[in-house]
Protein backbone atom coordinates (compact mmCIF):
# COMPACT_ATOMS: atom_id res chain seq x y z
CA UNK A 1 0.00 0.00 0.00
CA UNK A 2 1.38 3.38 -1.04
CA UNK A 3 1.50 5.88 1.80
CA UNK A 4 -0.03 9.19 0.87
CA UNK A 5 2.42 12.09 0.63
CA UNK A 6 1.39 15.08 2.70
CA UNK A 7 1.08 18.26 0.68
CA UNK A 8 3.00 21.36 1.68
CA UNK A 9 3.46 24.75 0.05
CA UNK A 10 6.72 25.43 -1.76
CA UNK A 11 7.90 27.70 1.08
CA UNK A 12 7.06 25.09 3.73
CA UNK A 13 9.05 22.45 1.86
CA UNK A 14 11.95 24.86 1.41
CA UNK A 15 11.95 25.60 5.16
CA UNK A 16 11.80 21.89 6.03
CA UNK A 17 14.85 21.27 3.85
CA UNK A 18 16.69 24.23 5.39
CA UNK A 19 16.01 22.74 8.84
CA UNK A 20 17.16 19.33 7.59
CA UNK A 21 20.50 20.84 6.49
CA UNK A 22 20.92 23.00 9.60
CA UNK A 23 20.43 20.05 11.95
CA UNK A 24 23.42 18.21 10.45
CA UNK A 25 25.68 18.69 7.44
CA UNK A 26 24.17 16.87 4.44
CA UNK A 27 25.36 15.89 0.99
CA UNK A 28 23.38 16.44 -2.23
CA UNK A 29 22.25 12.81 -2.37
CA UNK A 30 20.75 13.00 1.14
CA UNK A 31 18.89 16.22 0.33
CA UNK A 32 17.59 14.79 -2.94
CA UNK A 33 16.46 11.66 -1.09
CA UNK A 34 14.66 13.85 1.47
CA UNK A 35 12.97 15.80 -1.36
CA UNK A 36 11.35 12.57 -2.58
CA UNK A 37 9.11 12.74 0.51
CA UNK A 38 7.45 15.79 -1.04
CA UNK A 39 5.49 16.30 -4.24
CA UNK A 40 7.69 18.68 -6.23
CA UNK A 41 8.10 19.45 -9.89
CA UNK A 42 11.73 19.24 -11.15
CA UNK A 43 12.00 23.04 -11.43
CA UNK A 44 11.02 23.45 -7.77
CA UNK A 45 13.58 20.84 -6.70
CA UNK A 46 16.24 22.65 -8.70
CA UNK A 47 15.29 26.02 -7.19
CA UNK A 48 15.44 24.65 -3.64
CA UNK A 49 18.82 22.98 -4.25
CA UNK A 50 20.25 26.21 -5.67
CA UNK A 51 18.87 28.18 -2.72
CA UNK A 52 20.38 25.74 -0.20
CA UNK A 53 23.79 25.97 -1.90
CA UNK A 54 23.68 29.76 -2.36
CA UNK A 55 22.82 30.29 1.32
CA UNK A 56 25.48 27.74 2.31
CA UNK A 57 23.04 25.32 3.97
CA UNK A 58 24.26 22.69 1.54
CA UNK A 59 28.03 22.53 1.15
CA UNK A 60 29.55 19.32 -0.17
CA UNK A 61 33.10 20.05 1.05
CA UNK A 62 31.92 20.98 4.56
CA UNK A 63 29.82 17.80 4.63
CA UNK A 64 32.76 15.67 3.48
CA UNK A 65 35.16 17.14 6.03
CA UNK A 66 32.65 16.78 8.84
CA UNK A 67 31.87 13.18 7.83
CA UNK A 68 35.58 12.28 7.76
CA UNK A 69 36.21 13.82 11.19
CA UNK A 70 33.19 12.07 12.69
CA UNK A 71 33.85 8.62 11.29
CA UNK A 72 37.52 8.78 12.24
CA UNK A 73 37.28 10.39 15.68
CA UNK A 74 34.07 8.75 16.89
CA UNK A 75 33.76 5.45 15.01
CA UNK A 76 37.51 5.02 14.48
CA UNK A 77 37.17 4.02 10.84
CA UNK A 78 40.12 3.88 8.48
CA UNK A 79 40.38 5.91 5.28
CA UNK A 80 39.32 3.04 2.99
CA UNK A 81 36.01 2.51 4.79
CA UNK A 82 35.34 6.26 4.98
CA UNK A 83 36.09 6.62 1.25
CA UNK A 84 33.71 3.76 0.30
CA UNK A 85 30.87 5.28 2.33
CA UNK A 86 31.43 8.77 0.90
CA UNK A 87 31.48 7.40 -2.66
CA UNK A 88 28.12 5.73 -1.95
CA UNK A 89 26.85 9.20 -1.08
CA UNK A 90 28.01 10.50 -4.45
CA UNK A 91 31.06 12.42 -3.24
CA UNK A 92 33.88 12.66 -5.80
CA UNK A 93 37.22 10.93 -5.25
CA UNK A 94 38.96 14.29 -5.74
CA UNK A 95 37.00 15.96 -2.93
CA UNK A 96 37.42 12.94 -0.65
CA UNK A 97 41.21 12.88 -1.12
CA UNK A 98 41.45 16.66 -0.68
CA UNK A 99 39.45 16.43 2.57
CA UNK A 100 41.53 13.67 4.15
CA UNK A 101 43.81 16.37 5.59
CA UNK A 102 41.17 16.47 8.36
CA UNK A 103 42.93 13.38 9.73
CA UNK A 104 46.35 13.97 11.25
CA UNK A 105 48.82 11.28 10.06
CA UNK A 106 50.24 10.80 13.56
CA UNK A 107 46.76 10.42 15.10
CA UNK A 108 45.87 7.96 12.36
CA UNK A 109 48.80 5.69 13.23
CA UNK A 110 48.10 6.08 16.97
CA UNK A 111 44.50 4.87 16.46
CA UNK A 112 45.73 1.87 14.45
CA UNK A 113 48.18 1.03 17.24
CA UNK A 114 45.53 1.40 19.95
CA UNK A 115 42.98 -0.72 18.06
CA UNK A 116 45.65 -3.30 17.29
CA UNK A 117 46.74 -3.62 20.91
CA UNK A 118 43.15 -3.80 22.21
CA UNK A 119 42.04 -6.43 19.72
CA UNK A 120 45.26 -8.45 20.01
CA UNK A 121 45.08 -8.63 23.82
CA UNK A 122 41.43 -9.79 23.83
CA UNK A 123 42.16 -12.97 21.88
CA UNK A 124 42.69 -15.99 24.08
CA UNK A 125 44.01 -19.47 23.39
CA UNK A 126 45.66 -18.68 20.06
CA UNK A 127 49.27 -18.68 19.02
CA UNK A 128 50.92 -15.31 18.45
CA UNK A 129 50.87 -15.51 14.64
CA UNK A 130 47.12 -16.39 14.72
CA UNK A 131 46.38 -13.47 17.03
CA UNK A 132 48.42 -11.20 14.78
CA UNK A 133 46.66 -12.45 11.64
CA UNK A 134 43.16 -12.06 13.13
CA UNK A 135 44.00 -8.58 14.39
CA UNK A 136 45.28 -7.49 10.96
CA UNK A 137 42.05 -8.78 9.36
CA UNK A 138 40.03 -6.86 11.96
CA UNK A 139 41.88 -3.62 11.19
CA UNK A 140 41.48 -4.14 7.43
CA UNK A 141 37.72 -4.58 7.98
CA UNK A 142 37.69 -1.21 9.77
CA UNK A 143 39.17 0.38 6.64
CA UNK A 144 42.82 0.75 7.57
CA UNK A 145 45.50 0.24 4.93
CA UNK A 146 47.72 -2.84 5.09
CA UNK A 147 50.91 -0.76 4.77
CA UNK A 148 49.91 1.44 7.73
CA UNK A 149 48.99 -1.58 9.84
CA UNK A 150 52.37 -3.19 9.16
CA UNK A 151 54.16 0.09 9.86
CA UNK A 152 52.53 0.22 13.30
CA UNK A 153 52.99 -3.41 14.35
CA UNK A 154 56.57 -3.75 13.10
CA UNK A 155 57.74 -0.84 15.25
Amino acid sequence: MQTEKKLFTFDEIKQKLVNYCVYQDRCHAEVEQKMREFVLIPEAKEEILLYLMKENYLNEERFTRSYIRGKFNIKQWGKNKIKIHLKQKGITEKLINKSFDEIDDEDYLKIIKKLYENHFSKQKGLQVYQKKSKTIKYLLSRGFEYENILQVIDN
Side-chain angles (χ1 to χ4, degrees), residues 102-145:
E102 289 293 324
I103 299 175
D104 180 70
D105 291 340
E106 232 174 270
D107 291 343
Y108 194 68
L109 295 175
K110 278 182 194 162
I111 287 289
I112 295 174
K113 189 166 184 62
K114 187 184 115 195
L115 290 171
Y116 180 85
E117 287 166 356
N118 285 348
H119 197 269
F120 188 90
S121 66
K122 285 180 187 164
Q123 297 177 58
K124 305 289 178 234
L126 296 172
Q127 294 181 345
V128 173
Y129 77 91
Q130 291 171 311
K131 287 168 79 167
K132 191 173 179 179
S133 165
K134 278 185 179 263
T135 305
I136 290 171
K137 278 186 188 147
Y138 166 73
L139 289 170
L140 288 170
S141 77
R142 291 194 69 111
F144 293 99
E145 303 79 359

Side-chain angles (χ1 to χ4, degrees), residues 8 33 35 46 60 69 81 89 91 97-98 110 115 117-118 123 130 132-134 147 149:
F8 295 97
Q33 178 64 44
M35 276 192 199
E46 200 59 39
E60 205 90 303
R69 281 191 310 273
K81 187 168 184 173
K89 292 182 176 292
I91 308 296
N97 292 335
K98 177 183 161 196
K110 278 182 194 162
L115 290 171
E117 287 166 356
N118 285 348
Q123 297 177 58
Q130 291 171 311
K132 191 173 179 179
S133 165
K134 278 185 179 263
E147 310 76 59
I149 296 168

Side-chain angles (χ1 to χ4, degrees), residues 57-108:
Y57 292 116
L58 184 58
N59 180 317
E60 205 90 303
E61 182 171 349
R62 187 180 62 219
F63 165 79
T64 304
R65 290 181 173 281
S66 160
Y67 190 91
I68 288 172
R69 281 191 310 273
K71 295 304 179 200
F72 176 68
N73 294 324
I74 298 161
K75 296 231 187 226
Q76 298 181 328
W77 285 4
K79 291 180 181 177
N80 288 338
K81 187 168 184 173
I82 293 171
K83 184 184 276 191
I84 288 166
H85 282 254
L86 283 169
K87 279 184 171 178
Q88 288 170 346
K89 292 182 176 292
I91 308 296
T92 64
E93 179 122 14
K94 186 178 177 188
L95 179 55
I96 295 169
N97 292 335
K98 177 183 161 196
S99 303
F100 269 135
D101 62 6
E102 289 293 324
I103 299 175
D104 180 70
D105 291 340
E106 232 174 270
D107 291 343
Y108 194 68

